[in-house]
Amino acid sequence: MQWFGKGSGNIEDRRGMSGGAIGGGIGIIVVILGLFFGQDLTGLVSQLPIGEATQGTPKTGDPTDREGKFVDGVLASTNQVWEQQFQEMGKVYEQPKLVLFTNNVQSACGSASAAVGPFYCPGDHRVYIDLSFYQELQNRFGAGGDFAQAYVIAHEVGHHVQNLLGISEKVQRAKSQLSEKEYNRLSVKLELQADFFAGLWANHAQNLKDFKLDEGDLEEAITAANAIGDDKLQKQAQGEVVPDAFTHGTSAQRMYWFKKGFDTGDFRQGDTFNSSQL
């Protein structure tokens, strides 16, 4: 993919800063699960206690390094797409911040290690990512390429969209009334909708004057979605698949919903919660 426009102006660069240690046993559990899933664990991160304050002052404005510029450009394109989508719904889109960090970070949802992978914190409307995750995505999961990296950002922004629309809150409220198995099914639907939103972004981004898809880009994103399905990750980690423990969806489901978002570009087609296929 190619991005020729200005940055988003919404980057907080905390790379090299101290973000505080993860607190207590819950933090350790999140790290272990993060190593297993290597992806968004928003629901668990949001339960962490607030830790130490971040040491240092984050840099604001557009990053100057290649990796930072790329992430900034992706975020800028998501802003343009979702501003248009919200306008069509008669709503105003609030742009999220994106925090670049190294090793660990402090958010409104608590302290988190890079091991949890990229995540979205609904408490401060920020996406958090340690860019070393992209190396893991390529080396561990075989899902390299710039569009695979863009898919990761677009998925987390999808969680921001869910937060703004009150979808995430409804899922969290239902947690106390459901069994773990039932809640996991809701979590899967939440994650697959974020994949759909990522595909929708890719569809509409093609119409931006500053954005251009290259040959093979779509395949990179689909390869990434396939690599981080619950079934594939469980099989790799423990040698067996436990469907009741799925929280993000199978590889086939993740590919399907991303592709559906890309093929239709229609927000109304992304209601995973009432889909007869889930």
Side-chain angles (χ1 to χ4, degrees):
M1 59 167 284
Q2 300 177 45
W3 172 253
F4 311 102
K6 297 181 180 179
S8 69
N10 292 327
I11 300 293
E12 290 183 12
D13 194 343
R14 303 186 197 174
R15 288 174 291 182
M17 297 170 57
S18 173
I22 292 180
I26 295 178
I28 295 174
I29 292 173
V30 171
V31 172
I32 293 173
L33 289 174
L35 288 170
F36 177 76
F37 286 110
Q39 56 189 311
D40 176 73
L41 292 172
T42 304
L44 288 175
V45 173
S46 64
Q47 299 173 34
L48 290 175
I50 299 297
E52 301 173 11
T54 301
Q55 301 298 312
T57 302
K59 299 176 183 177
T60 57
D62 298 333
T64 57
D65 61 299
R66 183 179 64 84
E67 294 83 1
K69 285 182 177 179
F70 172 78
V71 171
D72 195 15
V74 173
L75 184 64
S77 68
T78 64
N79 287 338
Q80 291 186 57
V81 169
W82 285 111
E83 282 175 349
Q84 180 182 4
Q85 291 294 308
F86 270 56
Q87 185 177 21
E88 292 177 0
M89 291 186 280
K91 301 178 182 294
V92 177
Y93 182 66
E94 176 191 336
Q95 296 183 2
K97 299 286 186 181
L98 189 148
V99 178
L100 300 174
F101 71 96
T102 306
N103 298 327
N104 54 74
V105 70
Q106 180 67 34
S107 75
C109 298
S111 298
S113 163
V116 305
F119 67 94
Y120 171 70
C121 174
D124 56 21
H125 293 197
R126 282 167 167 74
V127 172
Y128 291 82
I129 183 171
D130 183 325
L131 295 182
S132 65
F133 174 78
Y134 287 148
Q135 297 176 1
E136 183 180 13
L137 190 65
Q138 178 171 352
N139 298 334
R140 181 182 173 192
F141 299 116
D146 56 1
F147 203 67
Q149 297 174 4
Y151 156 68
V152 172
I153 299 298
H155 174 92
E156 298 306 331
V157 172
H159 285 306
H160 177 63
V161 172
Q162 291 170 324
N163 188 35
L164 294 181
L165 296 177
I167 299 171
S168 303
E169 183 181 0
K170 289 181 181 179
V171 171
Q172 286 299 314
R173 283 204 308 264
K175 185 175 184 179
S176 61
Q177 304 170 10
L178 300 174
S179 66
E180 181 178 358
K181 176 181 176 179
E182 291 171 329
Y183 180 74
N184 284 346
R185 290 185 62 189
L186 272 186
S187 177
V188 166
K189 293 179 180 183
L190 191 73
E191 294 297 331
L192 294 178
Q193 187 179 62
D195 281 333
F196 175 88
F197 287 163
L200 182 149
W201 156 77
N203 174 294
H204 290 275
Q206 297 177 98
N207 300 321
L208 301 178
K209 65 177 181 179
D210 299 319
F211 187 95
K212 181 178 182 296
L213 286 181
D214 293 325
E215 184 177 355
D217 277 345
L218 184 60
E219 287 74 16
E220 289 177 1
I222 292 176
T223 296
N226 177 58
I228 55 178
D230 282 328
D231 53 341
K232 180 166 289 190
L233 292 174
Q234 285 185 357
K235 186 69 174 179
Q236 292 174 350
Q238 59 195 34
E240 63 177 347
V241 176
V242 184
D244 287 348
F246 288 172
T247 58
H248 287 66
T250 66
S251 294
Q253 288 172 330
R254 301 200 71 168
M255 290 188 293
Y256 172 83
W257 284 98
F258 173 84
K259 190 69 163 47
K260 184 175 182 179
F262 181 80
D263 288 341
T264 67
D266 184 357
F267 181 87
R268 296 167 298 180
Q269 300 296 316
D271 185 3
T272 55
F273 295 92
N274 292 305
S275 171
S276 59
Q277 299 182 4
L278 295 173

